Amino acid sequence: MNDLPSLLGSRRRVLVTGGAGFIGGAVVRRLLAESGATVFNLDKCGYASDLTSIEAVLAPLGAAAEGRHQLLRVDLTDAAATAEAVRRADPDLVMHLAAESHVDRSIEGPEAFIASNVSGTFNLLQAVRSHHEGLAEERRSAFRFHHISTDEVFGSLGETGRFSETTPYDPRSPYSASKAASDHLVSAWHHTYGLPVVLTNCSNNYGPWQFPEKLIPVVILKAAAGEPIPLYGDGANVRDWLYVEDHVDALLLAATSGQLGRSYCVGGHGERTNKQVVTAICALLDQLRPAGAPHADLITPVTDRPGHDRRYAIDPARISSELGWQPRHAFEQGLEATVRWYLEHQEWCKGVRERGGYSGGRLGLVA
């Protein structure tokens, strides 16, 4: 990726929504570590939010970073509070990552996903639209709103083909439907009101600091504890895995250099079945924790997720050809780094699960 200060240019104030989450936190850390921008971190500080990773970056920066990270504890469903947060941040760039994102949770409680992902995005768009219209010409011409979304809005693939920016939307879960709606809102605000937007749709992210309810951290922690490892259905569902730091590279390129009104699909060339991912984690644990080997004996088939999409895969040709992005981590490399990180940070995992009220049990079953 190009030098971050050069990419940002005159944009000195960046508003990141969901900056206490997994991907948002990685964006905030990169901005703090590699640029002089002031980062306004708008986050409702929900169950999956945590600032530990950001504090770890700020500590060695010392006085040089004082005041450069501003936490705005705001729920986007509160329109007035959202408008006030945007006014206070006075941003040159908005990166919108805040979202309820766990499919299983959306099956159990879809209301929260509609409120956060649809109504929350609407409130943010209205606040940012007003802010953009009030900017002086020089700042207004450089301003951008970047909406970060998911490949799940495209539905499920057959055995061949890959998602691209021209794939029709076909969401299958309450989560993906809510994200599809937010994508359409952002596009509409661009065409109707002239808001300068860029959109990205990414594949499954993994890496350090992910709240331990998603597949990879769940499997690592279950295996390390000698507990049964749940595998949905026949384990043949395919996902395209993207290391989170590679995703951050893509996000910063798209946010600063993408064509306005355009969408970019971001995938890591990491297609694997769920069973392949689980067995690869078990093989790594056999090396790192041989006392529990073979960890694959812990794999336990469980009832499949309702409406479980069979296959995702992304064609990232547009962002590669237009912006020069390529993932820097092969799946095997990123997975080993991730497994090692979770084994070394089990106390953090325990702490965030306790604070988030998550016991590690199965979610998303429909009675």
Side-chain angles (χ1 to χ4, degrees), residues 161-197:
R162 294 193 288 175
F163 297 135
S164 73
E165 294 80 5
T166 59
T167 301
Y169 277 42
D170 186 23
R172 307 291 185 90
S173 71
Y175 162 61
S176 58
S178 69
K179 289 299 292 184
S182 69
D183 290 8
H184 292 319
L185 286 173
V186 171
S187 181
W189 260 241
H190 172 67
H191 291 289
T192 302
Y193 302 112
L195 191 67
V197 309

Side-chain angles (χ1 to χ4, degrees), residues 12 24 162 215 224 291 296 367:
R12 308 301 298 165
R162 294 193 288 175
L215 176 65

Side-chain angles (χ1 to χ4, degrees), residues 67-91:
R68 285 186 50 226
H69 178 250
Q70 300 286 325
L71 178 64
L72 307 175
R73 187 165 184 167
V74 170
D75 190 329
L76 290 175
T77 61
D78 185 333
T82 299
E84 173 58 23
V86 172
R87 186 202 64 77
R88 176 179 166 187
D90 186 23

Side-chain angles (χ1 to χ4, degrees), residues 77-362:
T77 61
D78 185 333
T82 299
E84 173 58 23
V86 172
R87 186 202 64 77
R88 176 179 166 187
D90 186 23
D92 302 304
L93 169 65
V94 176
M95 299 182 71
H96 179 35
L97 296 103
E100 296 290 341
S101 66
H102 190 34
V103 174
D104 287 355
R105 287 181 184 267
S106 81
I107 294 169
E108 288 196 351
E111 300 86 353
F113 287 72
I114 304 305
S116 179
N117 300 352
V118 183
S119 297
T121 297
F122 166 76
N123 291 337
L124 181 65
L125 284 167
Q126 287 290 76
V128 171
R129 173 189 163 204
S130 178
H131 166 72
H132 174 247
E133 291 173 349
L135 289 174
E137 180 57 33
E138 184 177 352
R139 289 187 69 200
R140 188 176 181 183
S141 64
F143 181 85
R144 285 165 172 262
F145 180 98
H146 178 197
H147 178 64
I148 292 87
S149 190
T150 172
D151 61 354
E152 297 190 40
V153 300
F154 301 124
S156 185
L157 286 167
E159 293 184 1
T160 61
R162 294 193 288 175
F163 297 135
S164 73
E165 294 80 5
T166 59
T167 301
Y169 277 42
D170 186 23
R172 307 291 185 90
S173 71
Y175 162 61
S176 58
S178 69
K179 289 299 292 184
S182 69
D183 290 8
H184 292 319
L185 286 173
V186 171
S187 181
W189 260 241
H190 172 67
H191 291 289
T192 302
Y193 302 112
L195 191 67
V197 309
V198 176
L199 297 88
T200 51
N201 296 84
C202 71
S203 60
N204 283 42
N205 277 222
Y206 70 101
W209 303 107
Q210 187 173 33
F211 187 81
E213 67 180 355
K214 301 294 180 76
L215 176 65
I216 286 178
V218 163
V219 173
I220 296 168
L221 296 173
K222 293 282 189 184
E227 299 175 359
I229 301 169
L231 181 66
Y232 288 2
D234 62 5
N237 301 73
V238 175
R239 299 295 180 261
D240 183 353
W241 292 95
L242 174 65
Y243 192 62
V244 66
E245 294 298 336
D246 294 339
H247 189 199
V248 173
D249 291 345
L251 293 180
L252 292 169
L253 278 168
T256 58
S257 306
Q259 183 177 324
L260 295 181
R262 205 153 170 81
S263 64
Y264 296 89
C265 286
V266 187
H269 302 293
E271 289 182 54
R272 301 288 190 284
T273 67
N274 287 349
K275 187 172 183 179
Q276 287 174 323
V277 172
V278 172
T279 55
I281 293 170
C282 289
L284 284 167
L285 281 163
D286 288 349
Q287 299 173 30
L288 300 172
R289 294 284 181 91
H295 290 85
D297 286 351
L298 298 168
I299 297 172
T300 305
V302 298
T303 303
D304 204 358
R305 167 192 287 164
H308 198 175
D309 292 335
R310 192 63 171 173
R311 176 173 170 261
Y312 304 148
I314 276 188
D315 178 3
R318 175 181 286 180
I319 193 169
S320 296
S321 62
E322 291 189 9
L323 304 182
W325 176 83
Q326 291 290 341
R328 294 181 286 120
H329 299 81
F331 177 73
E332 292 76 14
Q333 175 191 12
L335 186 65
E336 180 174 353
T338 302
V339 170
R340 289 182 181 275
W341 188 91
Y342 276 95
L343 292 178
E344 294 168 0
H345 292 80
Q346 292 190 62
E347 282 302 310
W348 175 83
C349 295
K350 179 182 178 182
V352 296
R353 287 201 303 195
E354 289 177 352
R355 289 197 302 274
Y358 175 60
S359 65
R362 174 79 187 273

